[in-house]
Amino acid sequence: MDILGHSSYGLLPSALYLLLLLFLSLRSKGGAESLGSTGLVQVFILMILVIHGVVLHESVFTAQGFVFGFAQDLSLIAWVGLAFYWFQSWFLPIASLRWLAVLFALVCSLLPSLFPGNLISPKAVSDPWFKGHFIVATISVGLLSLAAMHAMLMSIQDRALHRQLAIVPDSRVAHWLEDLPPLMTMESLLFNLLYVGFALLSLTVFSGLLFSQTLFGRPLVFDHKTIFALISWFLFAGLLLARWRVGLRGRAAIRWVLSAYTALLLAYVGSRFVLEVILQRA
């Protein structure tokens, strides 16, 4: 990507994420964070999010048209996930999740430089309906992706508490798991992610179904993407209904989240990965 004459500008978010991780690693060795240090980290994360967001916008909505691929999708997912973490961290004691969220953002922000994506449509960038649909879809998939990773982390935490994982005592991993918020707090954060993510997923799926011609320039086609998106929607809807009616929680909720997210991943990211990396097609 070439912005302001600097072709390496797209790597700036990755460099800043790496710098932040190094700073967090040094702080973890220095003991508990002070209030000023925590505030500095929060401001730095917000600054990186703004820069990362600008880079993503310019790389997807280009002068040539709408450019997209699985790498851009994952980078957007990581951006949304870190943004949600940053917001929730003001209200919940989840500082121990920060390192993981930033590491995921670092890895995913590098991917568009390796896999630049493909020109999907030269006209879509000027269509406000399509742009709105794309932004809502990206936020919903990002939040539900974060929910899936959060569920996996809860599963590891739960198994460690029940001594079902072989973790070396006094190791870095053991101390990190001990520093995680209680499972009740983790579960509260998980369902906050699911409620917002499902609401936006509903808007994405049904706007796509009802306005396919306006959004994509073609009538609705029940291809694998549409089918997996609908399967995912029904699974997430069933999960939240079970939570409301019978108080579903624990390992059953975690398994349900991961099953629903697998279908969602096949619908949105999986198809682009197969086309671009395995089949070498746009």
Side-chain angles (χ1 to χ4, degrees):
M1 185 174 61
D2 189 354
I3 299 177
L4 302 178
H6 299 283
S7 60
S8 61
Y9 186 80
L11 295 175
L12 180 58
S14 305
L16 292 174
Y17 283 132
L18 180 59
L19 183 63
L20 177 58
L21 282 176
L22 293 174
F23 177 76
L24 293 175
S25 298
L26 292 175
R27 288 302 306 156
S28 65
K29 295 177 182 178
E33 286 185 1
S34 65
L35 188 61
S37 177
T38 300
L40 179 63
V41 169
Q42 290 290 80
V43 171
F44 193 40
I45 290 176
L46 179 60
M47 182 189 74
I48 303 175
L49 283 170
V50 172
I51 295 172
H52 190 181
V54 170
V55 170
L56 280 171
H57 183 274
E58 295 300 315
S59 65
V60 172
F61 298 103
T62 69
Q64 291 75 34
F66 177 65
V67 176
F68 202 62
F70 85 96
Q72 288 75 21
D73 205 357
L74 286 173
S75 187
L76 283 163
I77 286 171
W79 184 89
V80 172
L82 183 58
F84 186 85
Y85 157 79
W86 181 87
F87 178 77
Q88 287 286 298
S89 64
W90 292 102
F91 307 100
L92 293 173
I94 54 174
S96 53
L97 298 175
R98 180 174 53 204
W99 201 89
L100 187 63
V102 174
L103 177 62
F104 181 63
L106 166 63
V107 173
C108 291
S109 66
L110 285 169
L111 292 177
S113 299
L114 302 174
F115 304 96
N118 299 284
L119 180 62
I120 305 298
S121 170
K123 299 179 181 179
V125 292
S126 59
D127 187 339
W129 286 99
F130 176 85
K131 201 168 185 177
H133 175 85
F134 172 79
I135 291 172
V136 172
T138 298
I139 295 174
S140 69
V141 175
L143 291 175
L144 294 173
S145 298
L146 187 61
M149 289 184 285
H150 193 81
M152 288 187 284
L153 184 57
M154 286 178 61
S155 178
I156 294 171
Q157 186 182 17
D158 179 68
R159 293 177 64 189
L161 287 173
H162 291 87
R163 301 291 189 269
Q164 294 178 345
L165 284 179
I167 298 176
V168 179
D170 294 325
S171 66
R172 192 178 184 89
V173 174
H175 287 302
W176 180 69
L177 287 172
E178 290 173 0
D179 289 339
L180 288 176
L183 275 172
M184 291 290 288
T185 301
M186 296 282 280
E187 188 172 88
S188 175
L189 180 59
L190 173 65
F191 278 93
N192 286 345
L193 285 164
L194 290 173
Y195 291 138
V196 180
F198 177 73
L200 295 177
L201 179 65
S202 300
L203 184 59
T204 300
V205 169
F206 291 106
S207 67
L209 292 175
L210 294 174
F211 305 109
S212 180
Q213 185 68 48
T214 301
L215 292 171
F216 308 115
R218 58 181 174 81
L220 177 65
V221 177
F222 278 93
D223 54 12
H224 77 280
K225 181 177 180 179
T226 303
I227 292 171
F228 277 116
L230 287 172
I231 290 173
S232 176
W233 185 89
F234 279 112
L235 287 173
F236 278 120
L239 167 63
L240 296 180
L241 182 62
R243 171 75 172 184
W244 174 59
R245 293 296 299 271
V246 300
L248 182 71
R249 60 187 308 174
R251 295 184 180 183
I254 290 171
R255 287 194 293 269
W256 206 325
V257 170
L258 295 178
S259 298
Y261 180 70
T262 299
L264 186 68
L265 199 64
L266 289 172
Y268 286 94
V269 180
S271 58
R272 297 305 312 174
F273 179 81
V274 170
L275 284 173
E276 294 172 40
V277 179
I278 298 179
L279 300 181
Q280 300 289 309
R281 287 160 49 191

